[in-house]
Amino acid sequence: MSDQEALLARWKALAGDHSRRPWTPDHLAGFFQNFRPHGVGLAEVFEGVEGADEITPRLLEIYRATAEGWRDDGGYDAYFNVKSPVPLAAPRAVELVLGHLEKVRAMAEVLGRDDLVASLDPAPAVDVVVGETPWPPGPDDVESTIYEVVGDYMALLTPRESPALGMEEGLWTIAGDYNLRHYVLWPLYRGVGTIEEPFQPYFELWRHGAGYRFTPEGAVHVYTPAGAASP
């Protein structure tokens, strides 16, 4: 049995799958649901895994952000949802969005994506709106271009080797969010490239239940949940 097969067998057992079929990385979809609401057992999941000392704390941040409101009736949400976000002051919300977009602009510059750089330089005006983030953006919207650029930028980088990289499906299905997955795995990329912690501002927005959308005029609305924003 290879090292990867042994790890998949261990993760299969920790997930409570007692079937005879061996796991492949695709079976990790939804894997982290098994450790809700508080992430108990993650230390065993990542035992001996390169980068675990930084990856595990980041995952635990996600569990802490979504623990409140967890259903204990045997049902569960398909994704980790922030149901009781910590209040986010409006100036801080603006700061986080601008910080995130600055990281994205740096990625666009590395890739030579002048179209996106032009949308982000100078930095757009940002207004805070109380309410849910509209979803989804259209294929021609700036958000879709950002999604493309972030994916292309990450594909350029070579992380240090770790079995955690094989958990990408499980990490994506935490919230159906590639940026969240990139945030968790970023310790394996540290030191590659020149952008420091490119997904930290995005994660801070996410854990506060906030999101953003560009307006047709090129400004940005940052959406904060009702009752979760303060002046």
Side-chain angles (χ1 to χ4, degrees):
M1 180 181 292
S2 69
D3 290 344
Q4 183 188 36
E5 289 170 338
L7 268 175
L8 286 168
R10 187 174 90 195
W11 294 336
K12 176 175 179 284
L14 289 171
D17 184 345
H18 303 296
S19 67
R20 296 175 61 87
R21 64 174 184 177
W23 266 23
T24 68
D26 288 341
H27 288 100
L28 290 168
F31 175 74
F32 291 101
Q33 286 281 3
N34 293 287
F35 307 94
R36 298 194 74 181
H38 300 296
V40 175
L42 285 182
E44 190 173 357
V45 169
F46 287 97
E47 183 179 352
V49 172
E50 176 68 22
D53 58 331
E54 293 187 89
I55 291 171
T56 304
R58 292 183 181 223
L59 275 168
L60 288 173
E61 288 179 314
I62 293 172
Y63 284 90
R64 282 193 292 270
T66 58
E68 190 169 346
W70 170 250
R71 295 172 57 183
D72 56 6
D73 60 359
Y76 64 88
D77 300 314
Y79 288 139
F80 286 56
N81 296 315
V82 181
K83 294 185 175 180
S84 300
V86 175
L88 181 63
R92 178 60 173 159
V94 172
E95 178 185 11
L96 288 172
V97 168
L98 289 175
H100 168 62
L101 294 178
E102 173 61 24
K103 303 287 189 182
V104 170
R105 184 186 64 78
M107 296 182 205
E109 288 181 340
V110 170
L111 294 168
R113 288 294 301 267
D114 294 340
D115 56 334
L116 184 55
V117 172
S119 297
L120 302 178
D121 188 12
V126 180
D127 292 317
V128 177
V129 178
V130 176
E132 293 188 4
T133 306
W135 187 261
D140 298 323
D141 291 341
V142 179
E143 295 87 349
S144 297
T145 303
I146 288 174
Y147 172 87
E148 178 184 334
V149 164
V150 169
D152 289 346
Y153 176 77
M154 291 301 292
L156 281 179
L157 306 181
T158 302
R160 73 180 195 263
E161 290 295 328
S162 171
L165 295 170
M167 302 187 84
E168 289 188 337
E169 183 67 16
L171 292 169
W172 181 80
T173 53
I174 284 176
D177 190 328
Y178 285 105
N179 283 340
L180 202 61
R181 186 182 76 181
H182 296 326
Y183 170 73
V184 172
L185 292 177
W186 184 254
L188 298 174
Y189 293 82
R190 186 174 291 118
V192 179
T194 58
I195 306 174
E196 183 178 354
E197 289 293 347
F199 301 100
Q200 184 71 47
Y202 180 89
F203 172 74
E204 292 298 324
L205 285 168
W206 178 85
R207 77 182 185 91
H208 284 288
Y212 70 92
R213 288 288 181 268
F214 279 78
T215 70
E217 297 74 29
V220 173
H221 288 165
V222 53
Y223 294 85
T224 60
S230 57

